[in-house]
Amino acid sequence: MDFKKILEETLSNVEGSIGAGLVGMDGIVIDQISHNSTFDINAVGAEYSSIIKNAMRASSNFGLGNTAEILITTDKATMIMMMVGQNYFVTLAINLDGNLGRGRLELKKAIPKFEKELT
Amino acid sequence: MTKDPSTSEITELKKKLEENPDSLVFAPLADAYRKQGSLEEALNVCKKGLEKHPNNTSARVVLGRIYQEQGKTEAASSELKKVLELDPENLMAHSLLGSIFVEKGDHQAAIEEYQKILTLNPDDEETQKALRQAIEKAAGEPRSTPSFKKEQLHAEKRAQPKDSTATLTIAELYLKQGHYDKAVEVYQELLSTDPQNLMLRQKLAEVVERRQKESVVDPGTSKLKKNEFIKPPDQKEDVLEETSHDGKRQAKPKKEDDSKFTNDDILQVMRRGGKDDVVVEEKRNKPTSPTAQEKKGISSPRTPQIEGLKGVLAELSAVEGIMRCFITANDGNTIVSMGETSNNADLGKQASAIFESTNRSVAQLNQGKMQQVLVTAESGHILLVSLAAYVLVVLASSKINLGLLRLALDSATRKLDKIL
């Protein structure tokens, strides 16, 4: 299973990307790649998973159905998380001067590839 | 990746490639060399990698960029076209091809590339800007094209009717600005290459009819008439209906300097998103129900602040697609709300929980101060915006234009920050 290859492809297609990772809903990182040594998804896999679980509860209570995507914007970067099936999610971090729209699209394109590898 | 990658980054990528010569890391390495200005080195790495991975579109895009920066535009175009053969939705390739066409002065072709990007990714602000510039340049050129170009256009149009949208866009922009004569010229030119196109004929007939009406109506109402032309053909019924209610509506003041296309023009035409001002006004004037917390005065800012906050939320809720919005304290208590208020307390607490866990992970990742969280679900979005000790919670339908929502939020956040 070449998850790294898919992550590398995604990263190289998105201008300003910092790092990307495939994480299980239990918080365990399946694979990750980073262009910046300070960005280590291994350290925060569990936190990300907790964010997604909270978002899932909120989506359901708001009557919006299942959560598909979470986008976090800080004063330094933007982090995108997208669900891969029900048990995994993929995350991508982009600099503020990066192309967020492209990042979202590339991630959407990567999801079926991950799903294929995971089944 | 930063714009000016450090040597250490190149060293790191180089090391990875040495460890695994079959790795795809050659593409980011070549790109890093390119960004550093080492174009020859970039070219070598990229070409060598492509020998092993000839169908790697990312690397071909990098190669196209290298050629472009070396001034070899033909080679660059050729590489990018190869990419699009393998991956017709490759946005980077469309974008670079667009910029190459701009460099060559072929603004029509650039417009087509940018429109393809916006079809795939309507919120791409950079491309919106590039498209606006290309349209401005194209509009500044003489309308007639060289005969060989016309022949080529004619042949292409038969094969790909979508190609005509570039000029249609220009026509619609002219209409929006009230330049009916220029719009008519564009439609006529399009019809000369595709005389059987009924949609074009209908549009042309409409413009000619409107132009005639315009010439006899009170000039004071002319601006409103012009704005009606941005409605797409499938909203023609609405346009006629609005015309019959002219007397009830106030024409929005429009910039008198129509010499340039504005971002709003592009957005409206590209997204077909002309909003009904009457509906907006109705929403804006909707009475607001105070929450239990407001009534009790718990955790609430002073009354004048509440009024200010309500005003900003009312403006925000006028954005098409926003279903409800409220401001909650970090402990989950609702301060002020707009739209439906049921369940606000629980939702406020959940919003705070999302914020808290997000803050923790952002801090651990050393990714700066948290500003916004957008949760996209099957049938809508939840947006959380940090406001000092408060959180702005916005619930929007799945059909909302996220780009417009972000613009509206930027403005609202600035105002709310001031009030709070």
Side-chain angles (χ1 to χ4, degrees):
Chain A
M1 283 188 246
D2 205 350
F3 297 121
K4 205 174 270 298
K5 189 178 165 187
I6 306 171
L7 293 171
E8 271 180 356
E9 261 179 25
T10 306
L11 236 62
S12 58
N13 278 339
V14 182
E15 185 81 2
S17 55
I18 302 167
L22 178 68
V23 188
M25 281 305 287
D26 54 4
I28 293 171
V29 177
I30 314 291
D31 216 334
Q32 71 147 345
I33 179 165
S34 172
H35 284 169
N36 182 332
S37 53
T38 62
F39 185 86
D40 182 9
I41 294 170
N42 280 311
V44 290
E47 288 289 349
Y48 270 20
S49 159
S50 147
I51 293 170
I52 290 188
K53 283 174 189 163
N54 281 329
M56 280 174 159
R57 268 195 294 277
S59 297
S60 165
N61 288 346
F62 270 100
L64 298 177
N66 291 332
T67 303
E69 180 186 346
I70 297 171
L71 206 139
I72 301 167
T73 310
T74 75
D75 60 351
K76 280 187 181 172
T78 301
M79 270 81 64
I80 313 167
M81 287 175 242
M82 284 190 193
M83 291 302 297
V84 180
Q86 289 184 335
N87 300 319
Y88 304 91
F89 64 92
V90 60
T91 179
L92 173 71
I94 308 171
N95 278 333
L96 287 184
D97 59 356
N99 192 326
L100 176 61
R102 201 159 290 171
R104 288 182 67 216
L105 194 85
E106 292 298 334
L107 222 45
K108 276 181 191 165
K109 281 164 75 177
I111 287 173
K113 296 178 193 169
F114 283 122
E115 283 174 339
K116 198 178 160 193
E117 292 285 339
L118 286 163
T119 48
Chain B
M1 267 188 286
T2 57
K3 278 182 176 174
D4 181 20
S6 62
T7 313
S8 65
E9 190 189 341
I10 290 178
T11 311
E12 204 177 319
L13 291 168
K14 216 171 151 184
K15 196 180 156 198
K16 281 183 185 174
L17 188 61
E18 279 164 5
E19 283 167 5
N20 178 12
D22 291 334
S23 162
L24 290 172
V25 81
F26 78 91
L29 176 61
D31 205 35
Y33 276 128
R34 177 191 65 79
K35 286 178 180 175
Q36 202 188 42
S38 311
L39 295 179
E40 279 307 315
E41 194 64 40
L43 192 66
N44 288 338
V45 171
C46 205
K47 278 188 164 178
K48 210 173 162 186
L50 276 168
E51 282 170 15
K52 288 182 183 171
H53 307 280
N55 290 331
N56 185 291
T57 51
S58 313
R60 291 221 172 267
V61 169
V62 173
L63 186 58
R65 281 195 139 164
I66 297 167
Y67 281 139
Q68 188 184 12
E69 288 183 18
Q70 286 181 328
K72 299 172 184 169
T73 50
E74 288 308 321
S77 295
S78 160
E79 280 308 320
L80 296 168
K81 281 172 187 168
K82 275 183 207 167
V83 171
L84 291 173
E85 279 169 20
L86 293 164
D87 176 13
E89 293 188 355
N90 191 303
L91 300 177
M92 193 81 91
H94 283 300
S95 175
L96 290 170
L97 260 183
S99 67
I100 289 172
F101 285 132
V102 168
E103 274 176 36
K104 284 177 167 177
D106 189 350
H107 298 116
Q108 291 292 339
I111 288 168
E112 282 168 26
E113 293 304 327
Y114 294 141
Q115 283 188 325
K116 282 173 192 163
I117 297 172
L118 291 174
T119 306
L120 295 164
N121 181 23
D123 297 329
D124 187 335
E125 288 171 13
E126 279 175 35
T127 305
Q128 285 166 8
K129 193 178 163 193
L131 175 65
R132 178 170 54 90
Q133 287 168 348
I135 290 176
E136 278 175 10
K137 283 175 185 164
E141 288 170 352
R143 295 256 27 103
S144 58
T145 48
S147 57
F148 74 89
K149 179 78 181 172
K150 269 192 174 178
E151 281 162 25
Q152 191 189 352
L153 262 177
H154 184 72
E156 281 174 3
K157 216 157 288 247
R158 286 274 169 228
Q160 291 174 290
K162 261 179 84 180
D163 284 357
S164 64
T165 50
T167 326
L168 273 176
T169 304
I170 293 174
E172 287 183 40
L173 287 166
Y174 279 137
L175 284 179
K176 180 167 165 47
Q177 295 187 340
H179 300 314
Y180 301 147
D181 290 339
K182 285 183 180 176
V184 167
E185 272 178 42
V186 177
Y187 284 131
Q188 282 172 340
E189 188 188 327
L190 280 170
L191 275 169
S192 71
T193 57
D194 189 7
Q196 303 305 318
N197 190 319
L198 288 177
M199 187 268 285
L200 284 173
R201 286 185 174 278
Q202 187 187 356
K203 278 190 172 253
L204 179 61
E206 279 173 19
V207 181
V208 171
E209 190 188 341
R210 294 285 174 180
R211 185 174 58 176
Q212 284 166 353
K213 281 186 186 170
E214 187 73 12
S215 63
V216 292
V217 296
D218 178 357
T221 63
S222 61
K223 287 291 176 190
L224 183 60
K225 297 271 180 200
K226 285 175 196 171
N227 285 336
E228 288 170 358
F229 284 100
I230 63 167
K231 300 277 182 185
D234 56 356
Q235 290 179 19
K236 198 182 160 201
E237 298 291 325
D238 298 340
V239 172
L240 293 173
E241 201 176 322
E242 281 170 19
T243 311
S244 68
H245 289 86
D246 274 354
K248 294 179 186 172
R249 295 183 57 182
Q250 293 261 317
K252 251 203 277 186
K254 189 176 182 293
K255 272 194 300 182
E256 288 307 315
D257 178 14
D258 280 347
S259 60
K260 293 224 178 249
F261 296 122
T262 64
N263 276 330
D264 286 345
D265 294 340
I266 303 289
L267 285 172
Q268 284 189 33
V269 173
M270 287 305 298
R271 293 169 174 169
R272 314 281 193 192
K275 279 209 203 86
D276 187 333
D277 292 342
V278 176
V279 175
V280 170
E281 278 306 315
E282 276 173 7
K283 257 184 129 180
R284 191 169 289 154
N285 295 330
K286 236 192 275 180
T288 60
S289 318
T291 62
Q293 282 82 359
E294 286 170 40
K295 282 177 187 166
K296 290 177 193 167
I298 298 169
S299 301
S300 294
R302 294 186 307 274
T303 310
Q305 280 179 303
I306 291 286
E307 288 310 310
L309 296 175
K310 277 184 181 175
V312 179
L313 290 194
E315 274 178 35
L316 193 57
S317 68
V319 174
E320 206 170 279
I322 290 187
M323 299 186 282
R324 64 199 274 189
C325 46
F326 60 95
I327 295 172
T328 176
N330 279 349
D331 58 6
N333 284 325
T334 303
I335 307 300
V336 59
S337 65
M338 187 64 56
E340 194 190 331
T341 56
S342 64
N343 220 12
N344 269 2
D346 285 346
L347 298 175
K349 279 175 187 148
Q350 279 159 17
S352 298
I354 296 176
F355 243 69
E356 205 181 305
S357 53
T358 311
N359 251 334
R360 268 201 306 269
S361 62
V362 162
Q364 283 190 33
L365 269 176
N366 194 24
Q367 289 301 323
K369 193 182 158 203
M370 223 204 19
Q371 292 175 337
Q372 281 182 17
V373 179
L374 172 71
V375 178
T376 301
E378 278 172 328
S379 49
H381 306 277
I382 307 166
L383 191 69
L384 311 172
V385 183
S386 173
L387 296 167
Y390 305 94
V391 179
L392 167 65
V393 184
V394 178
L395 184 65
S397 87
S398 56
K399 288 177 183 166
I400 198 166
N401 182 316
L402 284 179
L404 290 180
L405 174 62
R406 283 170 72 103
L407 282 178
L409 267 174
D410 284 347
S411 159
T413 309
R414 275 196 300 274
K415 289 174 191 170
L416 291 171
D417 269 334
K418 246 184 207 174
I419 296 168
L420 289 166

